Amino acid sequence: MLSNHSAPTRPSQIAVLLSCAFFSIPLFATTLIGMDIDDVVKKAEIVFEGEVIQSQPQLDSNSGIINTYITFRIVDLVKGGFSGDSIELKFAGGELNGEIVEVSGSTLPKLGESGIYFVESTSADMLNPLMGWSQGHFLIKNEGGRRKVHTVDDNPVTQIQSVSAIPLVIKAPNKLIQDNEGIAAGVTVRSRALTNTEALSADDFKRQILDMLEN
């Protein structure tokens, strides 16, 4: 469970907008900066395959803002020393008593979804505790009896490759991320509109993550 202290101001957050009911309130003036998959993997406190088993919105009595406490059943711990079989993470935003609060660029895991989650911190109070928000949030979908990995905007992940060895002089600079379609450098995806696109299996995805941790 996340501690209850004020959210840190991050240089990687540049344009977060809160939308409440029929009006919008600017909350923070910051934007997400694209990450390398190497950093997503190695800087995450824990990485796990899990399933969302509970989603509980609550009103913060101090700020008046809705937060959603999401509980995951841990299926497979890929990285980290977490010992429980479930974990609760707090995300800013949610829906409570007909009021909807959204943080621009942040996708809340949905009840019943399965995925692979890269958690930046299990203790710090953040708008979104996942590494790079969508960059550390992957879905597992059943396709013909096979568990395949997709991004949060439902595009199949076809490859993960370290980019740490690419010389800086030829490496493309990380881009600013708008919305929730951020993909870390080194993650290859294909549009779901393309036919015969084969996504990585969940096991192959996790195996490649473990290979990056070992190198």
Side-chain angles (χ1 to χ4, degrees):
M1 185 182 297
L2 299 182
S3 59
N4 188 21
H5 54 78
S6 39
T9 301
R10 300 175 155 275
S12 61
Q13 298 168 350
I14 304 173
V16 178
L17 185 68
L18 248 157
S19 301
C20 300
F22 301 104
F23 57 91
S24 298
I25 302 173
L27 185 63
F28 293 103
T30 57
T31 260
L32 287 174
I33 296 177
M35 302 178 67
D36 294 344
I37 187 60
D38 306 73
D39 289 335
V40 173
V41 171
K42 295 179 180 179
K43 292 182 178 180
E45 180 181 335
I46 64 171
V47 180
F48 67 92
E49 177 190 338
E51 177 188 2
V52 178
I53 57 175
Q54 185 174 346
S55 181
Q56 184 64 49
Q58 294 183 16
L59 186 67
D60 187 297
S61 58
N62 295 319
S63 66
I65 297 301
I66 297 171
N67 295 306
T68 301
Y69 292 81
I70 298 177
T71 303
F72 301 81
R73 178 175 66 88
I74 296 178
V75 175
D76 182 20
L77 186 66
V78 181
K79 176 191 176 184
F82 191 81
S83 59
D85 57 6
S86 66
I87 186 171
E88 181 183 81
L89 299 174
K90 186 181 83 170
F91 292 75
E95 181 176 358
L96 183 65
N97 299 327
E99 181 179 13
I100 300 174
V101 174
E102 295 179 340
V103 178
S104 179
S106 177
T107 299
L108 273 62
K110 297 179 177 61
L111 187 64
E113 83 169 39
S114 294
I116 297 173
Y117 307 92
F118 296 74
V119 181
E120 182 172 356
S121 174
T122 59
S123 58
D125 195 352
M126 300 177 172
L127 294 173
N128 184 323
L130 302 181
M131 290 293 305
W133 297 12
S134 62
Q135 298 173 87
H137 184 178
F138 295 88
L139 304 178
I140 297 176
K141 301 206 167 187
N142 192 313
E143 298 179 351
R146 296 176 295 178
R147 302 184 320 127
K148 298 294 185 176
V149 178
H150 290 239
T151 62
V152 291
D153 56 337
D154 203 24
N155 287 319
V157 176
T158 59
Q159 185 180 17
I160 296 178
Q161 188 173 20
S162 172
V163 295
S164 62
I166 299 177
L168 292 177
V169 292
I170 62 172
K171 183 177 179 294
N174 290 339
K175 299 179 180 179
L176 296 182
I177 293 175
Q178 308 289 331
D179 306 323
N180 65 344
E181 299 183 355
I183 301 170
V187 177
T188 303
V189 301
R190 293 289 183 269
S191 170
R192 60 184 178 275
L194 296 177
T195 58
N196 301 320
T197 298
E198 183 72 9
L200 283 174
S201 70
D203 288 340
D204 284 342
F205 183 96
K206 290 186 292 183
R207 191 174 299 113
Q208 292 185 20
I209 294 303
L210 288 171
D211 287 344
M212 292 179 65
L213 287 170
E214 292 172 358
N215 297 323

